[in-house]
Short mmCIF file of all heavy atoms in Angstrom, two decimals:
data_model
loop_
_atom_site.label_atom_id
_atom_site.label_comp_id
_atom_site.label_asym_id
_atom_site.label_seq_id
_atom_site.Cartn_x
_atom_site.Cartn_y
_atom_site.Cartn_z
N LYS A 1 78.47 70.76 -15.05
CA LYS A 1 79.62 71.65 -14.95
C LYS A 1 79.86 72.39 -16.26
O LYS A 1 79.95 71.78 -17.32
CB LYS A 1 80.87 70.87 -14.56
CG LYS A 1 82.07 71.76 -14.29
CD LYS A 1 83.27 70.94 -13.83
CE LYS A 1 84.46 71.86 -13.54
NZ LYS A 1 85.64 71.09 -13.10
N GLY A 2 79.95 73.71 -16.14
CA GLY A 2 80.22 74.54 -17.31
C GLY A 2 79.02 74.79 -18.19
O GLY A 2 79.11 75.49 -19.18
N VAL A 3 77.87 74.20 -17.81
CA VAL A 3 76.67 74.34 -18.64
C VAL A 3 75.52 74.95 -17.83
O VAL A 3 75.03 76.03 -18.14
CB VAL A 3 76.23 72.99 -19.24
CG1 VAL A 3 75.01 73.18 -20.15
CG2 VAL A 3 77.37 72.35 -20.02
N THR A 4 75.12 74.25 -16.76
CA THR A 4 73.99 74.75 -15.96
C THR A 4 74.35 74.89 -14.49
O THR A 4 73.48 74.79 -13.62
CB THR A 4 72.78 73.81 -16.10
OG1 THR A 4 73.19 72.48 -15.72
CG2 THR A 4 72.23 73.81 -17.50
N ASP A 5 75.62 75.13 -14.19
CA ASP A 5 76.04 75.23 -12.80
C ASP A 5 76.26 76.67 -12.35
O ASP A 5 76.82 76.92 -11.28
CB ASP A 5 77.31 74.41 -12.56
CG ASP A 5 78.47 74.85 -13.43
OD1 ASP A 5 78.23 75.60 -14.41
OD2 ASP A 5 79.61 74.47 -13.14
N ALA A 6 75.83 77.64 -13.15
CA ALA A 6 75.98 79.06 -12.79
C ALA A 6 74.61 79.66 -12.50
O ALA A 6 73.58 79.00 -12.61
CB ALA A 6 76.67 79.82 -13.93
N GLU A 7 74.60 80.94 -12.15
CA GLU A 7 73.34 81.63 -11.87
C GLU A 7 72.62 82.03 -13.15
O GLU A 7 71.40 82.15 -13.18
CB GLU A 7 73.60 82.87 -11.01
CG GLU A 7 74.06 82.56 -9.59
CD GLU A 7 73.04 81.73 -8.83
OE1 GLU A 7 71.84 82.07 -8.89
OE2 GLU A 7 73.43 80.73 -8.20
N LYS A 8 73.38 82.25 -14.21
CA LYS A 8 72.78 82.66 -15.47
C LYS A 8 73.70 82.28 -16.63
O LYS A 8 74.89 82.00 -16.44
CB LYS A 8 72.53 84.17 -15.49
CG LYS A 8 73.78 85.01 -15.23
CD LYS A 8 73.41 86.49 -15.11
CE LYS A 8 74.65 87.33 -14.82
NZ LYS A 8 74.31 88.76 -14.66
N TYR A 9 73.14 82.26 -17.82
CA TYR A 9 73.92 81.96 -19.01
C TYR A 9 74.79 83.16 -19.39
O TYR A 9 74.54 84.28 -18.95
CB TYR A 9 73.00 81.62 -20.19
CG TYR A 9 72.44 80.22 -20.14
CD1 TYR A 9 71.07 79.99 -19.96
CD2 TYR A 9 73.27 79.11 -20.27
CE1 TYR A 9 70.55 78.71 -19.91
CE2 TYR A 9 72.76 77.83 -20.23
CZ TYR A 9 71.40 77.63 -20.05
OH TYR A 9 70.91 76.36 -20.00
N THR A 10 75.80 82.90 -20.21
CA THR A 10 76.57 84.01 -20.76
C THR A 10 75.71 84.76 -21.77
O THR A 10 74.77 84.22 -22.35
CB THR A 10 77.85 83.52 -21.46
OG1 THR A 10 77.49 82.56 -22.46
CG2 THR A 10 78.81 82.90 -20.48
N ILE A 11 76.04 86.01 -21.97
CA ILE A 11 75.32 86.84 -22.93
C ILE A 11 75.64 86.36 -24.35
O ILE A 11 76.80 86.30 -24.74
CB ILE A 11 75.74 88.31 -22.79
CG1 ILE A 11 75.31 88.86 -21.43
CG2 ILE A 11 75.15 89.16 -23.92
CD1 ILE A 11 75.87 90.23 -21.12
N GLY A 12 74.61 86.02 -25.10
CA GLY A 12 74.77 85.70 -26.53
C GLY A 12 75.97 84.84 -26.84
O GLY A 12 76.10 83.70 -26.40
N PHE A 13 76.89 85.43 -27.62
CA PHE A 13 78.09 84.71 -28.06
C PHE A 13 79.31 85.03 -27.20
O PHE A 13 80.44 84.65 -27.53
CB PHE A 13 78.41 85.05 -29.53
CG PHE A 13 78.49 86.54 -29.80
CD1 PHE A 13 79.55 87.31 -29.35
CD2 PHE A 13 77.49 87.16 -30.52
CE1 PHE A 13 79.62 88.66 -29.61
CE2 PHE A 13 77.54 88.51 -30.79
CZ PHE A 13 78.62 89.27 -30.33
N ALA A 14 79.12 85.73 -26.09
CA ALA A 14 80.24 86.15 -25.26
C ALA A 14 80.97 84.96 -24.65
O ALA A 14 80.39 83.91 -24.41
CB ALA A 14 79.75 87.07 -24.14
N LEU A 15 82.25 85.16 -24.40
CA LEU A 15 83.02 84.17 -23.66
C LEU A 15 82.66 84.28 -22.18
O LEU A 15 82.26 85.35 -21.71
CB LEU A 15 84.52 84.42 -23.84
CG LEU A 15 85.05 84.20 -25.26
CD1 LEU A 15 86.48 84.72 -25.36
CD2 LEU A 15 84.98 82.74 -25.66
N PRO A 16 82.77 83.20 -21.41
CA PRO A 16 82.48 83.27 -19.97
C PRO A 16 83.30 84.36 -19.29
O PRO A 16 84.48 84.55 -19.60
CB PRO A 16 82.87 81.88 -19.47
CG PRO A 16 82.71 81.00 -20.66
CD PRO A 16 83.13 81.83 -21.83
N LYS A 17 82.70 85.06 -18.33
CA LYS A 17 83.36 86.19 -17.68
C LYS A 17 84.62 85.78 -16.93
O LYS A 17 85.56 86.56 -16.82
CB LYS A 17 82.38 86.87 -16.71
CG LYS A 17 81.27 87.64 -17.39
CD LYS A 17 80.37 88.32 -16.40
CE LYS A 17 81.10 89.42 -15.65
NZ LYS A 17 80.20 90.17 -14.74
N ASP A 18 84.64 84.56 -16.40
CA ASP A 18 85.79 84.13 -15.61
C ASP A 18 86.87 83.46 -16.45
O ASP A 18 87.86 82.95 -15.91
CB ASP A 18 85.35 83.18 -14.49
CG ASP A 18 84.65 81.93 -15.03
OD1 ASP A 18 84.40 81.87 -16.26
OD2 ASP A 18 84.34 81.03 -14.23
N TYR A 19 86.70 83.48 -17.77
CA TYR A 19 87.70 82.84 -18.63
C TYR A 19 88.86 83.81 -18.86
O TYR A 19 88.67 84.95 -19.29
CB TYR A 19 87.08 82.45 -19.96
CG TYR A 19 88.04 81.76 -20.90
CD1 TYR A 19 88.64 80.55 -20.55
CD2 TYR A 19 88.35 82.32 -22.14
CE1 TYR A 19 89.53 79.92 -21.40
CE2 TYR A 19 89.23 81.69 -23.01
CZ TYR A 19 89.82 80.49 -22.62
OH TYR A 19 90.70 79.86 -23.47
N ASN A 20 90.07 83.37 -18.56
CA ASN A 20 91.26 84.21 -18.67
C ASN A 20 91.77 84.23 -20.11
O ASN A 20 92.21 83.20 -20.63
CB ASN A 20 92.36 83.69 -17.73
CG ASN A 20 93.55 84.64 -17.65
OD1 ASN A 20 93.43 85.81 -18.00
ND2 ASN A 20 94.67 84.13 -17.20
N ILE A 21 91.69 85.39 -20.73
CA ILE A 21 92.09 85.52 -22.13
C ILE A 21 92.53 86.96 -22.39
O ILE A 21 92.05 87.89 -21.72
CB ILE A 21 90.92 85.14 -23.07
CG1 ILE A 21 91.39 85.04 -24.52
CG2 ILE A 21 89.75 86.09 -22.91
CD1 ILE A 21 90.33 84.48 -25.47
N SER A 22 93.45 87.15 -23.32
CA SER A 22 93.89 88.51 -23.64
C SER A 22 92.78 89.27 -24.35
O SER A 22 91.89 88.67 -24.97
CB SER A 22 95.14 88.46 -24.52
OG SER A 22 94.80 88.02 -25.83
N ILE A 23 92.84 90.59 -24.26
CA ILE A 23 91.84 91.42 -24.92
C ILE A 23 91.83 91.17 -26.42
O ILE A 23 90.78 91.03 -27.05
CB ILE A 23 92.09 92.91 -24.62
CG1 ILE A 23 91.84 93.20 -23.14
CG2 ILE A 23 91.23 93.80 -25.49
CD1 ILE A 23 92.19 94.61 -22.72
N LYS A 24 93.02 91.08 -27.00
CA LYS A 24 93.12 90.88 -28.45
C LYS A 24 92.49 89.56 -28.87
O LYS A 24 91.74 89.50 -29.86
CB LYS A 24 94.58 90.93 -28.89
CG LYS A 24 94.76 90.84 -30.41
CD LYS A 24 96.22 91.02 -30.80
CE LYS A 24 96.37 90.95 -32.32
NZ LYS A 24 97.79 91.12 -32.74
N ASP A 25 92.77 88.51 -28.12
CA ASP A 25 92.22 87.20 -28.46
C ASP A 25 90.70 87.18 -28.28
O ASP A 25 89.97 86.57 -29.08
CB ASP A 25 92.85 86.10 -27.60
CG ASP A 25 94.30 85.82 -28.00
OD1 ASP A 25 94.70 86.23 -29.11
OD2 ASP A 25 95.03 85.21 -27.20
N GLN A 26 90.21 87.83 -27.23
CA GLN A 26 88.77 87.90 -27.02
C GLN A 26 88.08 88.61 -28.18
O GLN A 26 87.06 88.16 -28.69
CB GLN A 26 88.44 88.63 -25.72
CG GLN A 26 86.93 88.73 -25.47
CD GLN A 26 86.58 89.57 -24.25
OE1 GLN A 26 87.45 89.89 -23.43
NE2 GLN A 26 85.32 89.96 -24.13
N LEU A 27 88.67 89.73 -28.60
CA LEU A 27 88.08 90.49 -29.70
C LEU A 27 88.12 89.69 -31.00
O LEU A 27 87.17 89.73 -31.79
CB LEU A 27 88.81 91.82 -29.88
CG LEU A 27 88.61 92.86 -28.77
CD1 LEU A 27 89.53 94.05 -28.99
CD2 LEU A 27 87.16 93.31 -28.73
N GLU A 28 89.21 88.98 -31.22
CA GLU A 28 89.33 88.17 -32.44
C GLU A 28 88.24 87.11 -32.50
O GLU A 28 87.64 86.86 -33.55
CB GLU A 28 90.70 87.52 -32.51
CG GLU A 28 90.92 86.74 -33.80
CD GLU A 28 92.34 86.21 -33.92
OE1 GLU A 28 93.12 86.32 -32.95
OE2 GLU A 28 92.66 85.67 -34.99
N ILE A 29 87.94 86.49 -31.34
CA ILE A 29 86.92 85.44 -31.29
C ILE A 29 85.52 86.02 -31.42
O ILE A 29 84.71 85.58 -32.25
CB ILE A 29 87.05 84.64 -29.98
CG1 ILE A 29 88.34 83.81 -29.99
CG2 ILE A 29 85.84 83.72 -29.79
CD1 ILE A 29 88.69 83.21 -28.65
N GLU A 30 85.19 87.02 -30.62
CA GLU A 30 83.83 87.53 -30.57
C GLU A 30 83.47 88.39 -31.77
O GLU A 30 82.29 88.47 -32.15
CB GLU A 30 83.62 88.32 -29.27
CG GLU A 30 83.68 87.45 -28.03
CD GLU A 30 83.29 88.19 -26.76
OE1 GLU A 30 82.73 89.30 -26.86
OE2 GLU A 30 83.54 87.67 -25.66
N SER A 31 84.46 89.03 -32.39
CA SER A 31 84.16 89.93 -33.52
C SER A 31 83.53 89.18 -34.69
O SER A 31 82.75 89.76 -35.46
CB SER A 31 85.43 90.62 -34.00
OG SER A 31 86.37 89.68 -34.52
N ARG A 32 83.83 87.89 -34.82
CA ARG A 32 83.30 87.11 -35.94
C ARG A 32 81.78 87.02 -35.90
O ARG A 32 81.13 86.82 -36.93
CB ARG A 32 83.89 85.69 -35.91
CG ARG A 32 85.41 85.63 -35.99
CD ARG A 32 85.90 85.88 -37.41
NE ARG A 32 85.35 84.92 -38.34
CZ ARG A 32 85.84 83.70 -38.55
NH1 ARG A 32 86.88 83.28 -37.84
NH2 ARG A 32 85.30 82.90 -39.44
N TYR A 33 81.20 87.19 -34.70
CA TYR A 33 79.75 87.05 -34.53
C TYR A 33 79.01 88.37 -34.74
O TYR A 33 77.80 88.37 -34.94
CB TYR A 33 79.44 86.49 -33.15
CG TYR A 33 80.01 85.12 -32.91
CD1 TYR A 33 81.27 84.95 -32.35
CD2 TYR A 33 79.31 83.97 -33.28
CE1 TYR A 33 81.81 83.69 -32.14
CE2 TYR A 33 79.84 82.71 -33.08
CZ TYR A 33 81.10 82.57 -32.51
OH TYR A 33 81.62 81.32 -32.32
#
């Protein structure tokens, strides 16, 4: 669960597509990479 139970992996350092998060918080997390 949460590791190999999907059709494909997330892109690189991206957060999972179905994860509910604000745009600002997503940018703050992913921008570091």
Side-chain angles (χ1 to χ4, degrees):
K1 186 176 181 180
V3 182
T4 55
D5 59 345
E7 292 301 314
K8 57 186 179 182
Y9 283 114
T10 55
I11 295 171
F13 53 72
L15 294 170
K17 289 182 66 175
D18 59 354
Y19 181 62
N20 188 19
I21 190 172
S22 72
I23 292 174
K24 185 175 181 180
D25 288 344
Q26 179 186 347
L27 290 173
E28 184 174 7
I29 291 169
E30 293 188 13
S31 64
R32 301 284 302 278
Y33 299 91

